[in-house]
Amino acid sequence: MTIRNVNEFLAASQQKDASQDAFELESPHMLEVKLNGRVWAKAGSMVAYRGAVNFVRQGMLEQGLGNLLKKAVSGEGTRLMKMEGQGRVYLADRGKKILLLRLAGESIVVNGNDVLAFEDGISNEITMMRKVAGMLSGGLFNIRLSGRGIVAISCHYEPLALPVKPGQAVFTDPNSTVAWSGSLTPDVVANISLGTLIGRGSGESIQLKFSGTGWVVVQPYEEVYMQRQG
């Protein structure tokens, strides 16, 4: 372990401005948002800020009536907040690795628990997987992000992106699935023999099947999603 004096530590740990983009990684686990207007972020993800910044919890109708109804039916959803003003905001999500993706008019679907932040020009829509929600104790909801701008998503450890090609379906554990291309609509399949062998509580007995052309990102970790009450 390297021992540094205070000045050496500060020099190595201080904020870096290596990009002109609104989103910049200060470390693999810390996101800096150069705020000049409005950005959406996961509620509770702010760890520090400076400047004139207001944090406002997303209103019930701001997600649109369709999203509101889906949240009411499923009892699920992701809590977002608006960060408005001018300044620097630093975001993190339980030490998870942060990935930055630039959308140029396309759509991606992200596990709702893994959405960290996105620029104001990105539209969001909650998508439900009722069959998975009924089979897994915590359920599963996703957010479709579309438009132009930068999206920050989080994952545990190093992610793996798997290509999906015609005739070459990819099967994933729902609890390890982080995101996939908007061109794909996964099917929910149940491995009855595996479920009988290891019990209903195991995520491996329920899988997502991705077919067509696109990609899917998985993490080397099975995350447990707690269903929100009320």
Side-chain angles (χ1 to χ4, degrees):
M1 179 177 179
T2 302
I3 299 177
R4 301 168 173 168
N5 63 38
V6 173
N7 289 335
E8 289 172 337
F9 167 75
L10 294 176
S13 306
Q14 67 183 350
Q15 169 201 319
K16 308 170 184 65
D17 281 321
S19 170
Q20 297 301 313
D21 289 324
F23 288 9
E24 180 179 354
L25 291 179
E26 291 295 323
S27 77
H29 314 284
M30 181 82 70
L31 173 67
E32 179 193 54
V33 177
K34 302 179 181 72
L35 187 63
N36 184 21
R38 180 170 64 179
V39 164
W40 294 92
K42 185 175 185 177
S45 62
M46 186 274 291
V47 296
Y49 77 93
R50 63 184 184 187
V53 180
N54 290 322
F55 300 90
V56 181
R57 183 65 59 89
Q58 184 182 43
M60 292 184 65
L61 293 178
E62 287 187 89
Q63 286 184 301
L65 182 58
N67 280 344
L68 177 61
L69 292 176
K70 290 174 185 175
K71 291 177 70 173
V73 170
S74 66
E76 301 171 351
T78 187
R79 296 182 177 181
L80 296 175
M81 64 181 178
K82 292 182 291 185
M83 307 187 302
E84 299 177 308
Q86 292 185 326
R88 304 290 180 100
V89 184
Y90 301 90
L91 305 177
D93 185 8
R94 295 173 295 160
K96 294 165 65 177
K97 185 180 180 68
I98 300 171
L99 313 173
L100 299 182
L101 302 176
R102 188 186 302 274
L103 300 187
E106 67 267 48
S107 298
I108 64 172
V109 182
V110 184
N111 186 302
N113 198 53
D114 299 327
V115 175
L116 179 61
F118 52 90
E119 292 189 276
D120 195 38
I122 301 291
S123 63
N124 71 94
E125 177 186 3
I126 295 174
T127 63
M128 294 172 56
M129 304 185 72
R130 296 182 182 179
K131 189 172 182 181
V132 176
M135 293 180 173
L136 298 180
S137 60
L140 189 67
F141 66 97
N142 308 296
I143 300 181
R144 177 179 290 270
L145 300 171
S146 308
R148 295 182 177 274
I150 302 176
V151 172
I153 63 179
S154 62
C155 68
H156 292 274
Y157 311 110
E158 293 293 331
L160 174 66
L162 297 170
V164 180
K165 301 177 181 179
Q168 300 180 24
V170 174
F171 296 82
T172 68
D173 183 331
N175 288 337
S176 297
T177 307
V178 176
W180 59 88
S181 51
S183 59
L184 301 178
T185 300
D187 293 319
V188 179
V189 296
N191 189 320
I192 302 301
S193 60
L194 190 58
T196 302
L197 176 64
I198 57 182
R200 293 181 180 180
S202 173
E204 286 84 356
S205 62
I206 307 300
Q207 300 158 2
L208 299 181
K209 178 184 178 181
F210 294 88
S211 303
T213 302
W215 48 265
V216 58
V217 176
V218 294
Q219 61 186 0
Y221 185 91
E222 291 188 64
E223 193 160 11
V224 178
Y225 308 107
M226 299 301 295
Q227 189 168 9
R228 182 179 304 158
Q229 302 296 322

